[in-house]
Amino acid sequence: MTDTLSPGPGTAPAGTPGPPQPQVPEGRRRLERPAAGGTRAVPGARGLRQRLELAALLLATAVLYLWNLGASGWANAFYSAAAQAGSQDWTAWFFGSSDAANAITVDKPPASLWVMGLSVRIFGLSSWSVLVPQALMGIGTVWLVYLAVRRAAAPATADAGLAHRAGLLSGAVMALTPVAVLMFRFNNPDALLVLVMTAAAYAVLRSIQDARVRWLLFAGVLLGFGFLTKQLQVLLVVPGFAVAYLLAAPAAAGRRVLHLLGAGAAMAVAAGWWLAAVELIPSADRPYIGGSQSNSILELTLGYNGLGRLNGDETGSVGGSNGWGTPGLFRLFNSEFGGQIAWLLPSALLLGAGLLWLGRRAPRTDPVRASVIIWGSWVAVTGLTFSFMAGIIHPYYMVALAPGIAGLAGLGGVLLWQRRNRPVAAAVLAVAIVAAGAMAAELLVRTAAYMPWLRWVALLGALAAAGLVLAAAAPGAKGTGMIASRTMARTTAALAVAAALAGPLAYSLSTASTAHSGSIVSAGPAVSGRGGAGMPPALGGAAGGGFGGATAANGNGTGNGTGAGAGIGRGQGAGGMGGLLGASTPSAALVTALQTDAGAHTWAAAVVGSNNAAGYQLATQLPVMAVGGFNGTDPAPTLAQFQQYVADGKIHYFIAGRLMPGESGANDAAQIAAWVQANFTAQTVGGTSVYLLAG
């Protein structure tokens, strides 16, 4: 019996390893090139069955991610409106503008909008053309996780069937992570971010196993594209990727360092070309950079979407620093975030640690160790960052952890299962199974009325499976009685998987059967103790103070100012969700008014806040100016600029509304609203107060 993960006489009877291979000095070692996906091609019926099983996994994922997708409507209307704008104007598409007249961009880089904008341009504007690309990204992510895990497991198991099952298990964990089901049915940038990070992980592992640097360079390009999706968040996986390659790549140390520098350069070029274009194009010839206070993409990168997320110092944010939940080591297990991602988090870390221990004497180039470093560092670095960041954080951010957890769960679960006759492997596996059942019971008990029996099924099933694993590893159990039989082994494995995935499956089905819209969404059923998840206290209260004007509820739980005195102004108070978290739903009369004589104006209307503007824009398919950007706190436009637009007849209407107050940022939106109220007469159209700025 060995202390490595290399297959040998000590393995369980799940596969028959070949004869020991002669040792080759590391400097002369050449990796045997596997077939696509990490194993030699499997001929005949067995290979066909494996392909059918993979197809079944991907088909089931497609059904889960695509079923009743249109029920969510525009989902996050903020991004849907930007996709609509990009489908009408190439400048808006390139910069990620909120409207086709290019007043201001969204507060993220535009890569995800490029995909949606092209889809809308090709297929027309609908919820399906906006949301289907995200579902396809989810299916692609599941497939890539499968490929990456199967590739690493193949040499460690010496069994193509076991490697295939490791990939299937990882893919299933990925597909059934509740927050993944949510975000791959939604149109936030996180779907594309997770896809490109997973593809980069696969490319790094492929580079290590195939000894081909071009895969590492490709990973750098993918990570650069990830930067253009959600900026600095993509960097959280880079340290682990670099360490894995530096430790495991089959090349001399100096060459490994040079390869990593080349990949870093590829990442910088893949991200930097767009940043350079934005910085070099005069501000008068492009839209204002939303989310910044100085019309700078670098400020947005390093401030609002960068260090501000860590320290809470985000100028222009609502809620202010440290208002988005209490940072701490166990934040990911609380009522806000636990049901999104925590189901298999402890188990995955345990399995990864077990693999590292059993493989501690494996060769430097061991692909299993490299995989554990990649997936494990992904979970550790991203998880700790999310746990302690003091700035804006939402439950759906947790989708970034899903591939790492899935990779560790599938790889560790199958490799330790194959070695379950070893006491250490059996103990780690049993503890991981119990941890999954206990975590499921803890998360499910928070939803007292939601399948109360399921918590007991998960917990008792996990305890039974763990007991069978330990019994099989007990001295004298090998080869005796029913415990060691193939049937009992399969029963134990099935019981363990069912207990671990029962809770995530239930939450995933609940998520897929529920329509989600607005800027802040979460997966699963309502949870005790979870109010406005991931929101500062000021946003979780009842509608009340804040900005002037009465509110009228609509289907998104938002409101619009309807009184003659409705306007925008700074203030403290609970406020409602109107204008910030969900888009407005205009009446037919207002849509008709905005569309009348629209060709004579650059913007059909102006309204404070991007979500307010998005509702009107999607209803009319006309440019609507989002005064002040997402939060209404960007200095775009200034009062002087707005007055000039009005003088030039470029804005048809100003729509009164209400928006949550911010604690920092520019006050231009309030000044504009006050100027409009003082100089124009309000009229009510379809229950909404509007001001005619140009006849």
Side-chain angles (χ1 to χ4, degrees), residues 302-304 307-317 320-322 390-391 664:
L302 299 175
Y304 185 81
L307 296 178
R309 299 278 168 152
L310 299 178
N311 60 25
D313 184 15
E314 295 171 289
T315 303
S317 170
S321 63
N322 214 17
S664 62

Side-chain angles (χ1 to χ4, degrees), residues 443-516:
L443 295 174
L444 288 167
V445 80
R446 300 174 184 177
T447 56
Y450 181 76
M451 298 186 183
W453 51 269
L454 187 59
R455 70 194 71 157
W456 297 109
V457 170
L459 180 58
L460 296 177
L463 290 172
L468 290 171
V469 169
L470 293 175
K478 184 177 179 182
T480 64
M482 195 169 63
I483 263 183
S485 72
R486 183 178 297 271
T487 299
M488 181 55 67
R490 290 177 175 174
T491 301
T492 302
L495 182 60
V497 172
L501 294 183
L505 173 61
Y507 260 54
S508 294
L509 294 176
S510 175
T511 301
S513 61
T514 303
H516 294 87

Side-chain angles (χ1 to χ4, degrees), residues 584-600:
S584 52
T585 302
S587 65
L590 182 54
V591 170
T592 299
L594 296 179
Q595 291 176 333
T596 301
D597 200 26

Side-chain angles (χ1 to χ4, degrees), residues 371-387:
S371 296
V372 173
I373 292 172
I374 284 178
W375 302 124
S377 64
W378 183 328
V379 174
V381 175
T382 303
L384 288 173
T385 301
F386 286 167
S387 295

